[in-house]
Amino acid sequence: MTRYSSEPDNAAKAAKAKGSHLRVHFKNTREAANAIKHMHLRRAVRFLKNVVAKKEIVPFTRFRGDVGRKAQCKQWGACQGRWPKKSAEFLLQLLKNAESNAEFKGLDTDHLVVDHIQVNAAPKMRRRTYRAHGRINPYMSSPCHIEVILSEREDAVARPDDEEPAKKKESKKKLKRQKMQQRD
């Protein structure tokens, strides 16, 4: 049994999956995982398949140096993004694994939500590349560890309508002016 960084609120209604030392870029995978956080499982799978087909984009929010600007990012409220194919495929495999674990536990797969997903950098793997004048430089890869927890959620509960509308905030200056007028 491996250790996860987060435990689900109700272990009986959750399923986990984990991948270690995966040969896929850490930065791209982190951004793709961040995009599917808190999505329903079916929507997350559809989103990742669309990323592979370049129909939907992964917005890059943290590791965005030299990432081009794309029009598809507008729906996320971002301006930079990419379609990390390999990261999407690895995440799809992990979600499939977590779904089968949930099925084995007897959970309803139609109500599963990506409750927790985390990507950590794994130890770098070393290769070398040959340079001019007989020199050798490192050629490192940046693998990662990924963990996913799917939780079974019932239908979303609608927020009850409040009888009274929210009170409008008044500035201190306005309140002081009203006090002064009441005194006079």
Side-chain angles (χ1 to χ4, degrees):
M1 191 94 174
T2 58
R3 204 175 146 273
Y4 284 74
S5 68
S6 170
E7 288 302 319
D9 298 331
N10 186 358
K13 294 239 176 194
K16 303 182 205 175
K18 188 173 189 174
S20 297
H21 302 284
L22 301 176
R23 198 79 189 266
V24 59
H25 292 307
F26 161 69
K27 291 181 179 182
N28 292 347
T29 309
R30 183 261 173 204
E31 299 291 357
N34 201 39
I36 64 168
K37 196 178 284 185
H38 304 301
M39 275 188 189
H40 281 278
L41 178 64
R42 298 277 174 250
R43 171 69 183 115
V45 168
R46 195 171 69 237
F47 171 75
L48 291 172
K49 285 182 178 174
N50 285 342
V51 166
V52 172
K54 291 193 175 184
K55 291 179 183 170
E56 285 189 85
I57 199 163
V58 172
F60 275 51
T61 54
R62 177 169 296 167
F63 302 110
R64 55 187 190 183
D66 295 333
V67 176
R69 296 182 291 191
K70 307 287 187 296
Q72 282 185 8
C73 291
K74 287 178 192 169
Q75 67 189 19
W76 292 91
C79 57
Q80 292 170 296
R82 280 184 178 162
W83 302 273
K85 184 180 175 189
K86 194 172 176 184
S87 296
E89 287 168 351
F90 271 79
L91 287 170
L92 275 168
Q93 289 173 357
L94 213 61
L95 288 176
K96 186 178 176 187
N97 190 331
E99 183 183 6
S100 65
N101 291 346
E103 234 171 75
F104 182 75
K105 281 178 108 173
L107 301 178
D108 183 14
T109 55
D110 292 331
H111 290 105
L112 289 176
V113 175
V114 180
D115 196 35
H116 166 81
I117 185 163
Q118 180 174 315
V119 181
N120 293 330
K124 293 195 172 212
M125 298 171 79
R126 179 176 289 274
R127 288 186 294 167
R128 58 193 192 172
T129 185
Y130 299 94
R131 308 305 297 265
H133 310 296
R135 291 175 301 130
I136 291 174
N137 279 3
Y139 211 68
M140 311 287 271
S141 68
S142 304
C144 61
H145 310 303
I146 311 171
E147 60 184 49
V148 180
I149 298 176
L150 301 178
S151 295
E152 190 177 71
R153 294 265 170 87
E154 293 304 317
D155 293 334
V157 179
R159 187 179 287 176
D161 295 330
D162 292 334
E163 295 300 320
E164 57 189 65
K167 253 180 133 177
K168 187 179 176 188
K169 278 190 171 181
E170 294 184 359
S171 67
K172 290 181 181 179
K173 190 175 182 181
K174 191 173 182 181
L175 291 172
K176 283 182 183 178
R177 187 179 291 143
Q178 286 176 352
K179 275 187 180 178
M180 290 294 287
Q181 288 176 352
Q182 287 175 358
R183 282 188 202 162
D184 295 340

